[in-house]
Structure formats: structure tokens, C-alpha cells
Amino acid sequence: MAKVVAVTGNEACANALRQVNPDVCGVYPITPQTDMMQKYASYVSNGKVDTEIILVESEHSSMSACIGAAAAGGRVVTATSSQGLALMWEMLHIASGDRLPIIMPVVNRALSAPLNIHGDHSDAMGARDTGWVQLWSENAQDAYDNTIQAFRIGEHMDIRLPVMVCLDGFIISHSIERMEYLEDEEVKGFVGEYKNFLPLLDLDKPKSYGPLILPDLFHEYKKAQHEVMLKVKDVVLKVAADFEKLSGRKYGLFESYRLDDADIALVILNSAAGTTTDIVDGFRARGIKAGLLKPRLFRPFPYDEVAEALGKVKAVCVMDRSDSFGGYGPVFMEISSALYPLQERPVLINRIYGLGGRDYLPEHGEAVLNELDEIAKGGKVEKYKEYIGVRE
Amino acid sequence: MATGLTLKELSKKEELLTHGHRMCAGCGAPIAVKMVLLATDYPVIAANATGCLEVSTCISEYTAWKIPWIHTAFENAAATISGVETMFRSLKKQGKIDGNVKFMAFGGDGGTYDIGLQSLSGAMERGHDMLYVCYDNGAYMNTGIQRSSATPMGADTTTCPAGSIIPGKPQKRKNLTKIMAAHNIPFSAQASPSHWTDLMKKVKKAHEIKGPKFLNIIAPCNRGWRSKTNDAIMLSRLAVNTCYWPLYEIEDGVTKITYTPKEKKPLVDFMKPQGRFKHLFAPENAELMKILQEQVDSDWEKLKRESECG
């Protein structure tokens, strides 16, 4: 039986982790993730979980300890944001290279400098090439559901990869929303017992983790990593199907909203997608065929499916809440790659919004859709990449 | 069954770091590691910081380690093994695993004194049941003899080369053994492969103490020290007998010198066979040589006072 609650995104993730009851959790504070791990520490102090927490002295050590713990053999979690994720960067590659299914909510926040504690996607986008599976979440419900599904995805015996669950700092992490919790037993049953694969703690069969691999084999090793990533999509869909049976909530590789017959569309990640559905409805009411695509699985990226979903649209704007300075936004680059193989493809533009917690307002999305409407009618593209919501 | 510290008994014991590894001929590090593992009478899991020992002992499909072993990165062997140890505790608490396992980490001085200091400090402060072993060869030898905070003053390295203006490393070494003791851990000690019974006794003692332990072992590197391939044990003995590398332990805050040289030799005896100090024997560096001897004398006197005070 689902339980309706009013909680923050951080509380929702902490509760998902409690229900999964991992063996080890690395804990280090960083805004806006801090109260997720605080909440988790209180579960430990009050005997609500069997977890041993490691109160590390940095995020680098947190991920290092998580890697050690996961290699030892057991279920491992941590959480971070921003600078913390940046400090982990070296170890993120090692977690995925060693094929260790560590689960980590990432509460998205801007990267310094200048210092800013508010939400944007620079942190997780900067980690997109680290070999982690990335699931992105619009709201607290998504973050909770994705966190639970992440265990099944990462721990799948064909996958064995770490998974990041991304949610927007403050906008989701600190806002109280109505959402539904599954029962503890349901979550326990859904994720199942942790299955070990080559644990260090199997003392009878000693293993060496983390060898030096020179040019004779390194290339093949990395190719194998890519090939494992290609299997993730099917597992994500299978896990989503099982999760739908349990929760009634449907998840895919991405979410299409009024996209089937759309002439114009926005692609937008996470919390801003919620605002955008209202904007799309407003345009539809005015007879303009607008639509929305909200990516969920960003790594591996579902190129074929996205091309199928957006191929018939006349003009698309990819909205990025982070930037690759001097290049296009990271989501734009993926959508662009997805659409390029098509014979006929939409006109594609890129708008950067909401950096460092700058509000994304309905008029911002409306202005972009109006621009797309003009482009779809044969109008000229003034600028392919532009910042919106900028103070004059 | 505990192994006695006799060559007869030890020679029957399986070596847990096997032959076939690719450390340089005459390197002190694998000697130290073998002694540490021979002194260990429990199942053991080790983490290894990136460095000579790591890159030379586990390459592609080959491993020289007969124990569960993990290398993740350079600066985090302590954090990595703390994760392994925590998983063991968690699974033991949950009744999913049983037994008595010892957790160890090996790192060179670069990975321990410098880049790994924060990770080591954190793991020691958190109180993990582990023994961290530093093999101190006094520079970043794996990357080609760069200065570390363990490099002795005056030594010639590739990043503090002895030149016409600067005569090698200008600064004193960091005293990591004491820094570790200052974490109020139950056991911090220094050892040398030349005094193998002392070294192995310290390992055995450390394994019987619950909590975080630190053992600093001098490990001559003939490439970096510019010494002969067969001089590792002779040089580590001279390091002890000149009191450059005194053998002592700090147990629960009490300092004890575990070996006092019958005759304290002059520091030059240790320096002379090493090319890294060659420039210091030039007449213009006589004053610096005097300072180096005074530093060793003063540190030794201080250690003796600390030891006498108990």
C-alpha cells in the first residue's frame, strides 16, 4: 500500500536508501545534499538500518572508501553535490572501471568559481564521461523512484556499474512535495538480496583489484566498458516495467509530453520540465502544436529512441542548465548527435538557462517556444546558442 | 598458529608476495613487504597506493599477491582499506560473514607523507582496525626520483637537483611517525629491514592491537639513492646505526626506543655510499654537512628524552 507523504527531495532519497538498507554508506556534508546524509545518519543512530556509515574527511575519501567497500562485497551508497562530485572525479572513473555498482544520489548544484550553492547541472554533466549510469529526476517522486530502481540497474549481473541519480539542488532537494512512498517490504522485495561478484572478502579465492594494464590490453578493456553500457538501456526498461507493476508509475528512457504530432518542442531535464508542461499546455490551447521531451537516462544516451521521438518535429530547442563554454550545452550535443543520422531533421537550437539557481520562469519557456514557432514557419535562426533569462 | 620469529620457522611459511614481481633488483620495498606479510599470522587483505610496489606487482592478468589486494589510486590507500574494513564490520554485524581478518595498506612516502596524508589522517582518526605500512624511500621513485616531504635535507632529486646555487633539498624531512602518533592512535612505529626481528615483532604487536596502527619502514632505492644494487640492507642498517632512522615505537603515547646502536656512527657513513648526497662532500657544502649531523644528533637526543620520560 502506497503511503502519501509531504517531504523534500532529500528526505525522499534518504528514505529510499533506508528502505534498501545498504551495508555501507559514505557520508560527507555538502550543500544542498547535506541533509540527505544527515537524515541517513539518524537512521543509523536509531537502529533503523543495518548500515555501517563511514564519516569520511572528504568526498575523495568517501568514493575511495565506497570503492573499497563495494569491492569487499556488499551494497554501498553515498551522496554528494557540486564540488564534492568534482573532488570525486578521479574515483568516479575507478568505480566504473572496476565495475562496482555503487549508488549515489547527486543533488545538482553549480560549480565554483564564483562560488554558488544553488542548482544547476554543471556537476553531473561534468561527470557524464566517468562511466556511471545517470538517471535524472524531475521531482521528489522521480528521485525516490529512480533511487530504488538504480539498485536493480547497477547491480544487474549483466551490468555491474555505478549509478548516479540526479535531482535539482534546492528546487527539489529542499522543496516539500506530495509524493508516494512504497512500503518497506515492497522496496526490499523489489531490490532483492545483494548478489556478490568477485568479492575481496572471499578469502579462499584471493583477487587483485586495480591492476596496471598497458597498451596491450587497455583499449580492449575500455571497449568492453562501452559494450556493457550498451546493455543498460534494456535493463532500465525491464526494471521500469517491474517498478510500474509495483507502484503504478511508468518510467522509460525519457518522457515524451504531447510530442506525437508536435511541430515544435523543448528538450529539458529535471525540475524545469514540470514548469514546461504547463507552458506546452498553454501553447496547445492556442492551437500551436508544442511538445516536450524530458531525458531520464542520460548515460548511456538513448540516441535511436530520441531520434524517433523528435525526428518529425520541425524545430527543437534543447535547454541546458550547464554549459560547455565555447561549445554547445551538453544536452544539446547529445540531441544533435541523435538527430544527425536522420535524412530530414528538425532545426535545432540551444538555450542556456538557470545557471547557479537562476529561476526558470514560464515566460522564458514561452519566449523560446515563440521563437521555435517562427522558425517552424520558415523563420531564420538568429542564434543557434544563446543564454536566456540574463539580466540586462 | 603463530609463527615464531626464527629463520627456520619463517622459511617454511608461504610467501604472500611471490617472486616474479617486477620491482627493481635490490629494491628495499618488496623485502619490507615480505617481512610484514611473513609476520602476519591472520588472513589479511591489503590496499596499495599507486607507486612502484603497485605497478610492479599486478600487471594485466598477472598478480604477485596471494592475498586479496586492491589498488584504486595514489592518495587514498587508507580510505580504500577503510572501506573494505567497514564492509567487513557491517557484514559481520549482520551475521553474513565471520572470522578474524587483518586489514593493511601499503604506500610509498609520496603516497603517504604527501598526497595521501589527508586520507591517512582521516582513516586513523576514524579508528578503523587497520595497519598502514609506509615504505619510505625518500622520494617519488616511481615517476623518477622527485622530491617528497620525506626526502632528506640536502638530497639531490630531479625536482630539487643539486645545482650551483641550491645544494639539493633545502628543507628538513617531515616526521610522519610522530605525526601519526599525534593522532592518539594506539601504535605508531619505525622499522628497518636490516633489523628484521624488530620489524616483525612490531608487525605482530600491531596485529594484536585493535584500532588504527602505523608502521614506517625505511626502504632503500638504489635508483634514487644512487647506490649499489646489493646495498639495500647495508644502507638501511647504516640508517639505523647513524640514528638517521631510529627504531622506536609509540604505544598509547609512550615512546620506546626498540634498538640503540652500540656505537652511534657518523651520518656521513650513511651518506657516503649514496650518489644523491655526493655534492655535499664538496668543500663548499661542509657547513651544510655539519648542520645535517647536528639535526640527527638533536633529533636522537630528543627521542631519547621522550623515551626516558616514558
Side-chain angles (χ1 to χ4, degrees):
Chain A
M1 269 299 290
K3 186 177 164 198
V4 176
V5 292
V7 293
T8 65
N10 275 344
E11 271 181 270
C13 286
N15 190 51
L17 297 178
R18 180 192 61 76
Q19 292 179 309
V20 172
N21 190 18
D23 300 304
V24 170
C25 173
V27 173
Y28 193 77
I30 185 165
T31 307
Q33 168 279 118
T34 308
D35 68 343
M36 187 194 300
M37 288 293 99
Q38 266 177 205
K39 186 87 188 157
Y40 201 80
S42 79
Y43 297 144
V44 174
S45 285
N46 292 294
K48 307 280 187 202
V49 285
D50 298 314
T51 315
E52 283 290 324
I53 53 172
I54 316 186
L55 300 164
V56 281
E57 83 298 331
S58 75
E59 288 91 350
H60 192 283
S61 284
S62 181
M63 188 46 63
S64 302
C66 284
I67 289 168
R75 197 169 258 153
V76 180
V77 300
T78 184
T80 193
S81 292
S82 180
Q83 307 303 124
L85 187 67
L87 187 60
M88 280 181 188
W89 190 80
E90 177 191 31
M91 301 315 299
L92 296 176
H93 287 263
I94 293 168
S96 62
D98 283 346
R99 307 279 304 275
L100 300 169
I102 297 160
I103 306 304
M104 176 166 70
V106 173
V107 184
N108 301 121
R109 166 186 146 182
L111 284 175
S112 202
L115 182 61
N116 178 297
I117 57 165
H118 291 277
D120 75 29
H121 302 155
S122 309
D123 50 5
M125 282 301 164
R128 71 186 189 273
D129 300 336
T130 58
W132 284 56
V133 175
Q134 284 192 343
L135 295 172
W136 292 71
S137 325
E138 179 184 328
N139 48 37
Q141 185 76 64
D142 273 12
Y144 172 81
D145 293 349
N146 280 339
T147 301
I148 292 167
Q149 291 175 69
F151 289 90
R152 283 274 302 274
I153 298 164
E155 292 173 9
H156 192 286
M157 290 314 262
D158 293 343
I159 306 296
R160 306 303 286 194
L161 284 174
V163 185
M164 258 177 230
V165 175
C166 304
L167 60 148
D168 284 352
F170 289 109
I171 301 166
I172 300 305
S173 67
H174 285 63
S175 303
I176 294 175
E177 287 179 57
R178 176 215 176 272
M179 59 165 287
E180 291 177 12
Y181 279 156
L182 295 166
E183 293 293 334
D184 290 358
E185 286 305 311
E186 290 176 319
V187 174
K188 200 176 163 190
F190 182 79
V191 298
E193 279 288 312
Y194 182 78
K195 289 189 193 70
N196 265 319
F197 184 67
L198 305 175
L200 272 179
L201 284 169
D202 180 1
L203 297 160
D204 298 331
K205 293 187 189 121
K207 283 146 205 97
S208 290
Y209 265 81
L212 169 73
I213 294 196
L214 294 168
D216 55 345
L217 279 175
F218 187 85
H219 198 61
E220 287 69 24
Y221 199 96
K222 289 292 142 180
K223 179 169 182 271
Q225 223 176 314
H226 171 67
E227 282 169 357
V228 169
M229 267 290 197
L230 297 181
K231 295 182 190 168
V232 170
K233 221 163 53 178
D234 288 344
V235 172
V236 167
L237 290 174
K238 194 185 163 302
V239 170
D242 289 351
F243 191 78
E244 188 183 356
K245 278 181 221 150
L246 180 70
S247 67
R249 291 185 291 278
K250 193 174 170 60
Y251 287 91
L253 305 173
F254 51 84
E255 190 180 323
S256 298
Y257 184 71
R258 305 188 85 163
L259 206 52
D260 285 347
D261 63 340
D263 291 326
I264 57 173
L266 296 181
V267 176
I268 197 159
L269 277 171
N270 277 16
S271 65
T275 312
T276 307
T277 53
D278 282 345
I279 305 168
V280 165
D281 289 345
F283 274 70
R284 287 275 176 175
R286 283 159 48 199
I288 299 168
K289 289 179 179 173
L292 163 73
L293 186 143
K294 179 185 77 175
R296 175 179 179 242
L297 181 67
F298 192 78
R299 275 293 177 275
F301 196 82
Y303 294 100
D304 294 344
E305 293 80 356
V306 165
E308 171 87 29
L310 289 175
K312 301 261 181 323
V313 181
K314 288 176 184 158
V316 173
C317 177
V318 181
M319 306 280 280
D320 268 290
R321 202 164 205 155
S322 65
D323 197 2
S324 174
F325 308 105
Y328 285 99
V331 186
F332 179 90
M333 291 193 251
E334 299 306 344
I335 302 294
S336 180
S337 300
L339 296 177
Y340 186 77
L342 302 179
Q343 288 295 322
E344 285 184 42
R345 45 187 179 260
V347 176
L348 199 60
I349 61 170
N350 188 200
R351 296 294 175 260
I352 309 291
Y353 76 100
L355 299 187
R358 173 61 49 87
D359 281 334
Y360 170 70
L361 301 171
E363 53 259 42
H364 297 145
E366 284 162 10
V368 175
L369 281 175
N370 282 329
E371 193 183 349
L372 287 177
D373 192 33
E374 290 301 315
I375 293 168
K377 288 173 185 159
K380 192 169 165 285
V381 175
E382 294 294 334
K383 269 189 174 175
Y384 281 97
K385 179 189 171 185
E386 183 59 289
Y387 275 62
I388 61 167
V390 180
R391 289 172 63 179
E392 295 304 329
Chain B
M1 185 60 73
T3 317
L5 288 179
T6 64
L7 285 175
K8 193 177 171 188
E9 279 199 57
L10 291 169
S11 64
K12 288 180 198 152
K13 220 176 157 190
E14 184 185 27
E15 282 190 5
L16 298 174
L17 176 67
T18 70
H19 48 78
H21 63 71
R22 304 183 200 179
M23 298 292 273
C24 301
C27 172
I31 302 172
V33 173
K34 283 183 185 189
M35 286 179 179
V36 169
L37 292 175
L38 272 176
T40 303
D41 290 313
Y42 297 92
V44 58
I45 301 181
N48 203 163
T50 308
C52 292
L53 179 68
E54 172 269 322
V55 296
S56 307
T57 53
C58 185
I59 307 177
S60 290
E61 302 103 325
Y62 301 99
T63 183
W65 298 90
K66 290 194 170 183
I67 55 170
W69 176 91
I70 180 168
H71 156 252
T72 65
F74 193 10
E75 67 280 56
N76 62 352
T80 303
I81 201 69
S82 81
V84 179
E85 186 262 357
T86 305
M87 180 57 79
F88 176 74
R89 258 189 297 121
S90 178
L91 297 180
K92 199 166 178 178
K93 180 180 79 180
Q94 297 175 61
K96 293 178 181 173
I97 200 167
D98 201 14
N100 190 0
V101 182
K102 297 298 170 189
F103 299 91
M104 296 183 55
F106 294 104
D109 49 287
T112 308
Y113 283 66
D114 285 356
I115 199 169
L117 184 61
Q118 175 183 322
S119 153
L120 174 59
S121 174
M124 294 284 121
E125 182 274 333
R126 290 194 297 276
H128 295 279
D129 189 21
M130 60 180 274
L131 170 61
Y132 190 104
V133 177
C134 174
Y135 66 97
D136 180 347
N137 50 29
Y140 291 83
M141 299 309 187
N142 190 42
T143 43
I145 324 165
Q146 288 80 34
R147 166 222 198 268
S148 79
S149 59
T151 302
M153 189 169 166
D156 172 48
T157 75
T158 56
T159 49
C160 57
S164 56
I165 307 292
I166 305 170
K169 188 191 177 196
Q171 301 88 1
K172 271 189 82 173
R173 299 166 31 88
K174 188 187 276 180
N175 191 328
L176 189 61
T177 310
K178 286 190 179 176
I179 292 169
M180 286 299 108
H183 282 66
N184 294 326
I185 57 173
F187 188 77
S188 177
Q190 258 180 211
S192 165
S194 56
H195 295 69
W196 59 271
T197 45
D198 176 82
L199 186 154
M200 293 171 87
K201 268 185 203 161
K202 282 169 179 160
V203 174
K204 282 184 179 291
K205 185 178 220 178
H207 283 323
E208 298 310 320
I209 299 170
K210 202 163 169 56
K213 286 84 62 177
F214 178 76
L215 183 60
N216 207 354
I217 305 178
I218 192 166
C221 164
N222 54 63
R223 298 291 305 123
W225 292 17
R226 301 291 180 217
S227 53
K228 285 189 203 142
T229 330
N230 58 353
D231 277 353
I233 299 302
M234 184 268 280
L235 284 172
S236 56
R237 180 171 291 116
L238 281 169
V240 173
N241 287 337
T242 56
C243 296
Y244 167 81
W245 190 267
L247 302 183
Y248 67 102
E249 61 189 27
I250 304 171
E251 192 180 354
D252 291 325
V254 179
T255 303
K256 186 182 157 198
I257 294 170
T258 55
Y259 174 80
T260 303
K262 284 187 189 73
E263 178 203 355
K264 180 169 168 283
K265 293 192 165 23
L267 184 63
V268 288
D269 288 8
F270 172 63
M271 297 171 80
K272 194 84 189 170
Q274 301 183 48
R276 62 175 174 161
F277 298 120
K278 192 177 164 197
H279 59 288
L280 298 178
F281 290 86
E284 63 269 26
N285 287 324
E287 188 56 28
L288 180 55
M289 285 293 266
K290 211 175 128 220
I291 292 169
L292 294 175
Q293 181 64 61
E294 282 166 7
Q295 280 176 2
V296 167
D297 294 345
S298 141
D299 287 349
W300 174 241
E301 289 306 317
K302 195 163 168 244
L303 185 67
K304 280 201 291 188
R305 284 198 301 277
E306 285 162 359
S307 182
E308 280 156 15
C309 290

